[in-house]
Every structure is written in C-alpha cells, then in structure tokens.
C-alpha cells in the first residue's frame, strides 16, 4: 500500500475512533436552554392561568410572561460531542451535572422539592399581590410536612392547623420547635390541632372550624444533637378573601413568583398594568413582596426575546449576569420588590422607557 494512502487511512481511522469516543464517553455535565414562556394574563393548555372567583376581575391587554429553563434530565448523561456543541452554542449553557442534580438527593427528592417550591411561590404571590391591593389576608400555623417513621407519622398530617403545644398558644411556626425542645427525648408533648380536612372545609364554606383534636406524642431524639423532636415541619398557611387558583402544569421551582403576583394585581386592576406592552420577567417573591434571584437568567432572557418580549423584569441580584449578553431588542429592568416592578410597569405603560432602572454588566 502506498505510504500516502496508508497515512490517509490511518488518519481516517483515527478520526472515526475519536468520533466514536466522543459519542460513547459520558461527561459529568448537563445542559440548560430556553424553555417555554407563558403569559400569566392568558390561557395555557386550554384554560386561564389565573382563575379568580368571588371578586370582580378585568380582562386587560398585554403580556406578563413568566419564563422557564429547559434542562436535561437527571438520569441523562451528555457525551463529549454534545458538551462541546453546547459550549459553542449561543443559546445553550453547559454546567456541571451536580449544579442541577446534587449527588446527595435522589430524582424523586428533587422533583418533590421543586414542586413544593412552585407551590410556595404561588402562595407568596397571592399574599404579596393582595397585600399590595389592601385586601385582608389571614394566616395560621400548620403542619407542612411529616417525617416518615417519626412519632408524628399517622398522628399529625400535612395541613393540620396547630393551635397550641402543651396548652401554649402557637403564633409563629418557630414557636412549635421551641415548645417541643423544652422536653427531653422520651417525654410526652401535647398538640391541639384542627384537622386538615376540617380546616379546608371551614375555609371553603366561610365558617369557623367545628372540630379540634388533642394529639399526644412521645418525643424522639434528633440525630446528632439529641434534641427532642416529633418529626414535623411547621409552616404558615394563608386564608384569602376570595378564591385564586393558578393553573400551570409541568413547571417547578420558585422563580415565577414575581410574575404570578403581577398577573394577580393586573387581573384585579381596571385598565391593567402593561398598557398592551409585552413584558416578561422572573424572580422569587416572599409574602412581603421582596424579589429574589433565580438560576438560568441568561436562558430566560433569550426565551422571552424569542417569544416577542420587549422588556424583562430582572431581579437585582441577577442583573450583572443577565446584562453580560443582553438579547437584541430586550430592555432589562432591575427590580428588587413588587413595588419596584409596579413602578417600572407604570413607566412602560406610559412610554417613559428612559426612566427605567436598567441592569448593567458592571
């Protein structure tokens, strides 16, 4: 075989071997890309995203879009070629697999965590929006979760309203742990609760609960520090003056909180907030309207721009990252609270874009 032919054949075989290795060798990375963006003022899956009953609402024009990030699955392992392609792409972001899927959590645990975060973001969005509109929002201490194989399993249930521990009235979730840890492991502690089903029925029927129960538990020792525990996590649930349901399937995490809150305010405000403009955004929100940072902001701005957004409400702590590569035609508006977002929307609505607080890369 001529030397030139042999050299070309060897090079070809080497290239084939490298390509096969690139396809077959998994690498410890995952990929993020722009996900769907949904108008909180519109419909999704054939039904309104925001469903409000018992209070007058308004059908306003414009967009207040929540944004998402699409990620590779927890069990999927990228190969080397996919990773290189992702690194070279302007619309994808390759990150260490452990960034999205920590090694100490199973896929089921991660799915449960993101579902709980999404549910809490909806709750906080309702609270923040209604507080801004000066509606009365009630609160109560409830059992948020019950640990398996703990003293509370089968005795207390998620959603039970905790009225008192050992006869002492409970006003904040932290009161529960303080009262339980006054005991030593093995001692008895008494809970006075309204069962979850009765609490839900009373709220639905707009009446006072008719049933309370006393539940006595024997405390166990916490792993490590041996504090007395019963195996529950206490939290806060709210009562609202009218019904607000948020219908959006296949979405997890807390990052839509700000846009849900703005959507609720818009639905309850004659004339609306956007002036018909296309606004998108992201950010967590707490009960007091404080906006927090989220992950994947670069992917969310791309998804919003591609959908048609002209303005993007950006959490203050995400501004620097988002502004490093701002999509063409998109204005990044810096917000730190629900009030900030509403003031920005007022400027957008009236065409005062020059007065908007903008994100900078510095």
């Amino acid at each position: 075989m001529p030397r030139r032919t042999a050299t070309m054949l060897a090079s070809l075989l080497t290239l084939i071997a490298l390509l096969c290795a690139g396809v077959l060798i998994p690498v410890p990375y995952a990929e993020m890309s722009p996900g769907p963006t949904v108008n909180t003022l519109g419909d999704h899956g054939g039904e309104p995203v925001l469903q409000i009953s018992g209070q007058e609402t308004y059908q306003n024009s414009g967009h207040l879009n929540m944004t998402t990030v699409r990620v590779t699955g927890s069990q999927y392992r990228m190969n080397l070629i996919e990773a290189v392609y992702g690194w070279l792409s302007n619309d994808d972001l390759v990150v260490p697999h452990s960034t999205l899927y920590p090694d100490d959590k199973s896929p089921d645990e991660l799915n449960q965590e993101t579902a709980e975060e999404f549910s809490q973001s909806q709750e906080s969005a309702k609270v923040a929006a209604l507080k801004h509109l000066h509606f009365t929002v009630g609160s109560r201490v409830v059992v948020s979760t019950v640990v398996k194989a703990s003293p509370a399993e089968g005795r207390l249930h998620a959603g039970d309203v905790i009225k008192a521990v050992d006869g002492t009235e409970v006003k904040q979730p932290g009161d529960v742990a303080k009262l339980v840890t006054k005991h030593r492991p093995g001692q008895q502690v008494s809970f006075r609760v309204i069962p979850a089903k009765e609490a839900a029925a009373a709220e639905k029927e707009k009446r006072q609960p008719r049933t309370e129960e006393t539940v006595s538990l024997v405390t166990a020792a916490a792993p490590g520090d041996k504090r007395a525990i019963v195996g529950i996590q206490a939290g806060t649930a709210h009562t609202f003056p009218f019904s607000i349901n948020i219908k959006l399937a296949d979405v997890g995490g807390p990052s839509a909180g700000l846009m849900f809150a703005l959507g609720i305010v818009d639905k309850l405000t004659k004339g609306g907030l956007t002036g018909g403009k296309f606004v998108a955004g992201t950010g967590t929100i707490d009960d007091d309207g404080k906006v927090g940072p989220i992950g994947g902001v670069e992917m969310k701005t791309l998804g919003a721009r591609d959908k048609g957004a002209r303005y993007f409400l950006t959490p203050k702590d995400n501004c620097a990252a988002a502004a490093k590569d701002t999509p063409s035609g998109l204005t990044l508006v810096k917000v730190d609270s629900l009030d900030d977002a509403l003031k920005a929307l007022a400027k957008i609505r009236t065409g005062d874009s020059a007065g908007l607080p903008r994100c900078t890369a510095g």
Side-chain angles (χ1 to χ4, degrees):
M1 179 183 296
R3 180 177 296 177
R4 182 177 180 184
T5 302
T7 300
M8 292 178 64
L9 180 59
S11 299
L12 179 61
L13 291 174
T14 300
L15 178 61
I16 292 172
L18 289 172
L19 289 172
C20 289
V23 171
L24 296 175
I25 296 176
V27 291
Y29 292 97
E31 186 175 68
M32 304 169 67
S33 59
T37 174
V38 178
N39 186 10
T40 61
L41 304 180
D43 293 353
H44 184 70
E47 59 181 346
V49 175
L50 297 175
Q51 301 179 7
I52 301 174
S53 59
Q55 179 67 28
E56 184 177 10
T57 60
Y58 303 92
Q59 190 66 40
N60 299 315
S61 62
H63 287 71
L64 286 170
N65 280 46
M66 55 82 66
T67 51
T68 65
V69 174
R70 184 179 284 111
V71 298
T72 50
S74 60
Q75 300 301 313
Y76 184 76
R77 291 296 183 268
M78 298 181 70
N79 60 49
L80 183 58
I81 291 177
E82 290 174 321
V84 171
Y85 181 83
W87 279 318
L88 296 175
S89 172
N90 291 326
D91 293 343
D92 301 304
L93 183 65
V94 176
V95 298
H97 190 271
S98 59
T99 300
L100 300 178
Y101 305 108
D103 294 335
D104 60 348
K105 293 183 180 179
S106 70
D108 287 344
E109 288 174 328
L110 287 169
N111 289 337
Q112 178 65 25
E113 183 177 293
T114 58
E116 289 176 355
E117 288 174 338
F118 185 62
S119 177
Q120 182 57 52
S121 76
Q122 295 180 52
E123 186 85 353
S124 292
K126 297 174 189 178
V127 174
L130 294 187
K131 281 184 176 179
H132 170 78
L133 294 170
H134 306 293
F135 287 101
T136 299
V137 178
S139 64
R140 55 196 182 188
V141 179
V142 298
V143 177
S144 291
T145 57
V146 179
V147 178
K148 290 183 178 180
S150 70
E153 185 178 20
R155 306 292 307 285
L156 295 174
H157 306 87
D160 287 349
V161 179
I162 304 172
K163 301 294 290 183
V165 175
D166 289 334
T168 299
E169 183 182 0
V170 169
K171 296 181 179 179
Q172 302 290 336
D175 295 344
V176 177
K178 290 178 182 178
L179 291 166
V180 170
T181 54
K182 286 183 176 181
H183 294 269
R184 293 191 301 273
Q187 291 185 326
Q188 191 174 79
V189 59
S190 176
F191 286 77
R192 181 161 57 86
V193 302
I194 300 171
K197 289 184 179 179
E198 171 60 17
E203 183 175 359
K204 183 177 181 180
E205 297 167 12
K206 305 296 183 185
R207 61 171 173 81
Q208 292 297 314
R210 301 189 183 114
T211 305
E212 289 189 2
E213 296 179 356
T214 298
V215 179
S216 295
L217 303 172
V218 176
T219 60
D225 59 14
K226 304 303 180 183
R227 290 174 297 110
I229 60 171
V230 295
I232 65 168
Q233 178 70 44
T236 302
H238 297 93
T239 55
F240 301 107
F242 46 87
S243 173
I244 305 175
N245 289 313
I246 300 175
K247 297 288 187 179
L248 197 60
D250 302 322
V251 177
S255 65
L258 170 62
M259 301 313 293
F260 285 148
L262 290 171
I264 292 167
V265 173
D266 187 286
K267 288 280 190 180
L268 296 170
T269 301
K270 188 174 183 179
L273 302 177
T274 69
K277 306 293 197 321
F278 195 137
V279 181
T282 189
T284 66
I285 199 164
D286 66 15
D287 292 356
D288 295 320
K290 176 72 173 177
V291 173
I294 49 80
V297 68
E298 304 96 325
M299 300 296 99
K300 293 184 175 184
T301 57
L302 283 170
R305 189 276 314 274
D306 291 346
K307 193 74 172 180
R310 299 292 303 278
Y311 303 92
F312 192 90
L313 303 177
T314 312
K316 180 186 69 173
D317 291 341
N318 288 125
C319 262
K324 286 180 180 178
D325 191 16
T326 305
S328 176
L330 189 67
T331 299
L332 303 182
V333 182
K334 180 171 65 175
V335 297
D336 195 36
S337 66
L338 178 61
D339 283 347
D340 285 351
L342 290 166
K343 290 175 183 176
L345 286 172
K347 292 181 182 296
I348 291 170
R349 186 169 64 247
T350 59
D352 181 21
S353 59
L356 290 170
R358 302 189 182 216
C359 292
T360 60

